[in-house]
Amino acid sequence: MDGYSLSTRAAAAEARYVASRENKAVEGEYRPGPYVLPVSGGTLSAEAGSNLNFWQLGYDLHRSGGSAIVQACVSAYAQTSAMCLGSHWRSRSDGGRDRVINSALSRILLRPNAYQSPSDFLLNLTSLLYRRGNAYALAIRNSRFEIVELHLMWGQCAPLVSASGEVFYALAGNEVVERQVSGALVGVPARDVLHVHLETPRHPLIGETPLTAAMMDLAMSNAMARQAIAFFDRQARPSGTLNTGANLTGEQVAELRARWDEQSRGLNAGGTPILTNGLKWEPMSIPAKDTAFAEIMKMSEQNVALAYRTPLQVLGIGEQKFSTTELMMTSWLASGLGFCLNHIEQGFDRLFGLAGGLTEYTEFDTSVLLRSDFKSRVEAWAAGVKGSIFGSNEARRDFEFGDREGGDEPRVQQQDVPLSWKPDAPAPPAPEPVIAPQPTEAEQNAGREYVAARTRAVSDELFHGA
């Protein structure tokens, strides 16, 4: 019995019950499959799903991992998210913000553990989230109660709710951390688990992958693909036939086939066979039902992409093209990708106890998604600097140029003035100071003699009388 047998038994019964309720079946009426197993991430045929012990009868789940469209949708989210570098931000009272570079969160975003890079961690985190609906990571703390490592868990993980309502987790599937931590990872407190989940229609702590909504389309696409493989594997459909009204013997038929092959196969492919005795070449056309077959498969793939909210242009199968890469990424950021990044950011906020909102938060830089659109980047930065929103040094840093003196402060163009503005009248020129000429030496001597004579006269008048 394999590892998921216990869960699939309960899921099979639950799937039949849910299917009967959703289809409004009469009580006790049998509903044919296939049955969707959201817990195990697969589907069962009607024959297999009618037996609770289907795994003992040799039946297995039809997994969704083998589908190219599912891989494309999941990879689009995972690889795009892995390109965005995360940062810890804290708001200021003046409306600005500062990047925090010495916190536990900032260190984890740069080095989550000893064996994974930030890109590797975020790639697998997002992939698990969109394949299973849940992504779990175990947090390891130091003596100061700071988180120093995050370890993704790939196994069967589940939340556990105690009688008092406290939340714990049972984690499994990471051989590295299981060898480092003694004992089974059962009963791990919620404060030590990064749990990011998608929509939770059945349980507040168990998310479901978008594949649940598109499971029927995926099952139909896989069934049609298997049928097509079996059909083309067993039939011999030539590219055309040689037709004639004459009755040919077996030897003549063999000789004609040999001559035809001699001129059209192997090194002689593309040659020009010459037909005689009324022989005519009739190429085989594609039947209309084969064209409809391909259209149905295409529609199923589009429904899977629709469930993932992935633009078809991102997957390379959309007919309508965006004029620029910026428009395509902006459209996706406003819908599925924007939600994905914001959802993971808030998961980090909760684990590290940040206030969230616009006070203190985690943010992944999405500007790298437009790195290849050089023209749009230059035009956007030029408009921002000219409009006094950014300093020139901020734009230079984005293009990996050095700072320049005075470039941190935004510049304002002085020609933008109100309509009522009038130039001030020019101030009158200040009068030039009058500088007295310097006395000559004779004038200075005459002055000294006058002062001396005057001093003697005053002295005689005071002490000797008039």
Side-chain angles (χ1 to χ4, degrees):
M1 183 181 298
D2 57 333
Y4 60 82
S5 299
L6 295 178
S7 61
T8 51
R9 283 189 294 175
E14 179 185 0
R16 287 195 297 273
Y17 174 76
V18 172
S20 62
R21 292 296 299 272
E22 291 180 351
N23 296 333
K24 298 181 180 180
V26 179
E27 183 177 357
E29 180 184 357
Y30 172 75
R31 305 295 297 186
Y35 302 102
V36 180
L37 301 184
V39 175
S40 302
T43 59
L44 284 175
S45 63
E47 182 180 1
S50 60
N51 302 282
L52 290 179
N53 60 336
F54 61 89
W55 69 93
Q56 294 177 337
L57 300 178
Y59 297 106
D60 197 5
L61 292 172
H62 298 306
R63 296 287 181 174
S64 59
S67 173
I69 189 64
V70 173
Q71 177 64 29
C73 293
V74 173
S75 296
Y77 280 102
Q79 295 176 10
T80 306
S81 301
M83 294 170 59
C84 304
L85 181 64
S87 299
H88 179 189
W89 291 94
R90 182 178 295 138
S91 300
R92 299 196 304 262
S93 58
D94 60 355
R97 65 176 186 172
D98 296 317
R99 179 184 281 108
V100 183
I101 60 175
N102 58 352
S103 64
L105 173 58
S106 61
R107 290 189 288 268
I108 287 295
L109 291 174
L110 292 177
R111 191 172 184 267
N113 48 58
Y115 54 90
Q116 283 183 309
S117 65
S119 177
D120 190 14
F121 183 87
L122 197 56
L123 173 72
N124 288 278
L125 173 70
T126 311
S127 178
L128 289 171
L129 178 64
Y130 277 87
R131 286 187 187 277
R132 303 182 180 181
N134 298 271
Y136 302 89
L138 175 65
I140 304 297
R141 302 179 183 269
N142 59 11
S143 58
R144 297 190 300 272
F145 205 66
E146 296 175 336
I147 298 177
V148 293
E149 291 182 359
L150 270 181
H151 299 272
L152 280 174
M153 311 303 293
W154 280 268
Q156 293 292 336
C157 306
L160 307 173
V161 182
S162 65
S164 60
E166 296 180 287
V167 179
F168 299 88
Y169 286 88
L171 305 178
N174 190 325
E175 186 177 357
V176 177
V177 71
E178 287 174 352
R179 291 177 180 271
Q180 296 176 358
V181 180
S182 59
L185 296 175
V186 179
V188 181
R191 64 176 179 271
D192 293 332
V193 177
L194 172 64
H195 181 200
V196 186
H197 54 76
L198 298 180
E199 186 179 2
T200 57
R202 298 181 299 111
H203 191 282
L205 295 175
I206 300 178
E208 289 192 4
T209 173
L211 279 178
T212 305
M215 193 66 73
M216 299 301 295
D217 295 280
L218 188 61
M220 180 178 64
S221 177
N222 291 341
M224 295 176 68
R226 288 192 299 269
Q227 182 180 1
I229 292 174
F231 176 75
F232 287 106
D233 185 55
R234 295 174 182 176
Q235 77 162 351
R237 173 179 290 184
S239 58
T241 60
L242 292 174
N243 300 327
T244 180
N247 294 326
L248 301 177
T249 63
E251 295 180 357
Q252 292 174 329
V253 171
E255 182 180 359
L256 286 173
R257 182 181 294 111
R259 289 183 179 182
W260 180 271
D261 292 342
E262 182 182 356
Q263 296 295 325
S264 59
R265 296 182 62 179
L267 297 177
N268 297 323
T272 306
I274 299 177
L275 304 179
T276 60
N277 297 328
L279 287 174
K280 295 182 181 180
W281 169 256
E282 294 289 342
M284 297 287 290
S285 60
I286 300 177
K289 61 181 181 180
D290 286 356
T291 305
F293 184 87
E295 290 295 328
I296 294 175
M297 292 191 65
K298 181 179 178 181
M299 185 182 303
S300 299
E301 293 178 350
Q302 292 178 353
N303 288 341
V304 174
L306 182 64
Y308 273 101
R309 300 188 67 191
T310 307
L312 298 179
Q313 292 77 12
V314 174
L315 304 177
I317 59 176
E319 297 179 356
Q320 181 182 1
K321 303 293 184 181
F322 287 95
S323 58
T324 63
T325 304
E326 182 182 15
L327 291 177
M328 181 181 67
M329 297 307 301
T330 302
S331 174
W332 194 19
L333 278 171
S335 56
L337 182 59
F339 162 78
C340 173
L341 294 175
N342 182 73
H343 207 53
I344 297 175
E345 289 168 357
Q346 294 190 7
F348 277 95
D349 292 346
R350 182 192 61 82
L351 178 65
F352 285 86
L354 304 185
L358 298 178
T359 304
E360 190 174 9
Y361 51 92
T362 309
E363 182 178 279
F364 292 102
D365 185 12
T366 59
S367 62
V368 297
L369 303 180
L370 303 176
R371 184 183 299 169
S372 60
D373 194 356
F374 182 79
K375 179 180 178 181
S376 298
R377 289 172 60 203
V378 172
E379 292 176 349
W381 278 115
V385 172
K386 186 177 180 181
S388 306
I389 300 175
F390 308 107
S392 59
N393 281 343
E394 294 180 78
R396 294 178 64 86
R397 294 189 196 107
D398 187 53
F399 294 94
E400 299 180 353
F401 296 132
D403 292 350
R404 290 293 182 265
E405 184 178 356
D408 291 331
E409 185 177 1
R411 303 295 182 90
V412 179
Q413 297 185 6
Q414 296 184 359
Q415 69 267 25
D416 296 331
V417 296
L419 294 176
S420 59
W421 179 84
K422 294 181 180 180
D424 297 333
E432 298 182 358
V434 179
I435 302 176
Q438 297 293 331
T440 63
E441 185 176 357
E443 291 175 342
Q444 292 178 354
N445 293 334
R448 294 189 190 97
E449 293 177 357
Y450 172 79
V451 172
R454 181 62 180 166
T455 302
R456 286 194 299 271
V458 173
S459 178
D460 293 340
E461 182 179 357
L462 292 176
F463 296 101
H464 301 287

